[in-house]
Amino acid sequence: MHFKDVVKTGKQNFIFDLEKKVPKEIITSALSDLHWYMPSKQRKMPFHIDVLDWSDPATRLKIYEHTYRVTPTEDDSYNPQALAPWLLVFSPRFISEKEIDGNNEYREPRYVDQQAHMEIGMASLFLMYIFTSRKLNTGFCRCIKDPHKLAEEVFENRQEITLLLGVGHQADYKDKFLCPIHNVMKPNPIFIEKKKKHPEQNIYVHI
């Protein structure tokens, strides 16, 4: 695919088809490309990416439970991106003393935190474009009610969970999904997102 086609095709997806399997090799190949080709300040890659399939359903459902937007009730809107066949979980990574290698700014936690969040944005977009070029769909999720609590409950040695990226094939049924918490059909969040508009370009681009 040409790059412009990738950019135009790589739209936010919410509902994935769990019956359409994605081979692990596609995921690891994309992560290898990220490792070799993504720009990173001093090549530190100050983030973790935990890669999850559905081999541990309890963990996946626990993550999904943390994506409620208001309160954890039957009326709340959870984020179905977290139910994708593959889930990439991004979190900040503090640089070891050996890795610092003269880059003393990495001894400052605030600096590392800012750099990690910036590069998580870069890495997740990089991966979205890679997966799109391989005819997969992706869905970002930042609606995590308590990023620190999620890290504590599900992941070892993670301070907070910054971003989730679901990867798989878009479902043919696009208007609703089955919420595994309440076992009821929920509307696709895309119908909420479509109501939102971009600001005028000249508000944030200054030429």
Side-chain angles (χ1 to χ4, degrees):
M1 296 176 72
H2 292 292
F3 182 69
K4 189 172 183 179
D5 294 327
V6 170
V7 173
K8 291 170 66 176
T9 305
K11 297 179 181 179
Q12 171 78 348
N13 186 64
F14 290 94
I15 302 178
F16 293 85
D17 190 337
L18 292 179
E19 299 301 316
K20 294 181 180 178
K21 304 301 181 184
V22 177
K24 184 177 181 180
E25 291 73 22
I26 294 180
I27 305 298
T28 56
S29 174
L31 291 168
S32 178
D33 288 344
L34 174 79
H35 175 74
W36 289 111
Y37 305 125
M38 179 196 135
S40 175
K41 191 173 189 296
Q42 279 108 30
R43 299 184 178 180
K44 300 301 185 190
M45 310 295 273
F47 51 84
H48 295 284
I49 306 176
D50 290 287
V51 183
L52 306 176
D53 59 9
W54 276 92
S55 57
D56 184 353
T59 293
R60 291 296 304 271
L61 289 175
K62 176 62 71 173
I63 295 171
Y64 174 74
E65 285 179 3
H66 277 269
T67 67
Y68 56 86
R69 298 184 178 192
V70 187
T71 55
T73 68
E74 188 170 321
D75 295 327
D76 180 51
S77 177
Y78 290 80
N79 284 267
Q81 308 94 297
L83 300 174
W86 289 92
L87 191 66
L88 277 55
V89 182
F90 295 82
S91 57
R93 183 177 75 87
F94 289 98
I95 307 304
S96 69
E97 190 65 29
K98 181 180 179 180
E99 289 179 278
I100 288 175
D101 191 29
N103 300 120
N104 292 323
E105 62 269 31
Y106 283 97
R107 290 192 172 90
E108 173 54 51
R110 183 178 179 186
Y111 175 87
V112 175
D113 188 63
Q114 290 175 340
Q115 190 68 24
H117 283 84
M118 180 179 70
E119 294 201 23
I120 284 172
M122 294 167 61
S124 59
L125 184 64
F126 190 99
L127 286 167
M128 184 198 80
Y129 287 148
I130 292 175
F131 289 127
T132 300
S133 72
R134 296 172 189 178
K135 303 188 184 306
L136 291 173
N137 301 104
T138 56
F140 293 93
C141 179
R142 184 64 182 90
C143 293
I144 303 169
K145 194 68 174 179
D146 190 332
H148 297 280
K149 186 176 181 181
L150 175 57
E152 179 182 331
E153 290 184 358
V154 178
F155 299 93
E156 268 190 58
N157 303 317
R158 304 287 183 266
Q159 298 299 313
E160 67 172 79
I161 303 305
T162 302
L163 182 69
L164 308 175
L165 182 65
V167 182
H169 293 282
Q170 184 181 45
D172 294 329
Y173 42 91
K174 299 178 182 178
D175 57 337
K176 292 183 178 181
F177 72 98
L178 180 64
C179 172
I181 302 297
H182 301 294
N183 198 34
V184 296
M185 299 302 292
K186 294 281 190 177
N188 187 337
I190 195 171
F191 297 118
I192 300 172
E193 300 295 331
K194 279 186 174 179
K195 296 176 183 177
K196 300 175 182 177
K197 295 182 179 180
H198 282 95
E200 295 296 325
Q201 189 182 37
N202 61 9
I203 291 177
Y204 66 95
V205 176
H206 310 286
I207 301 176

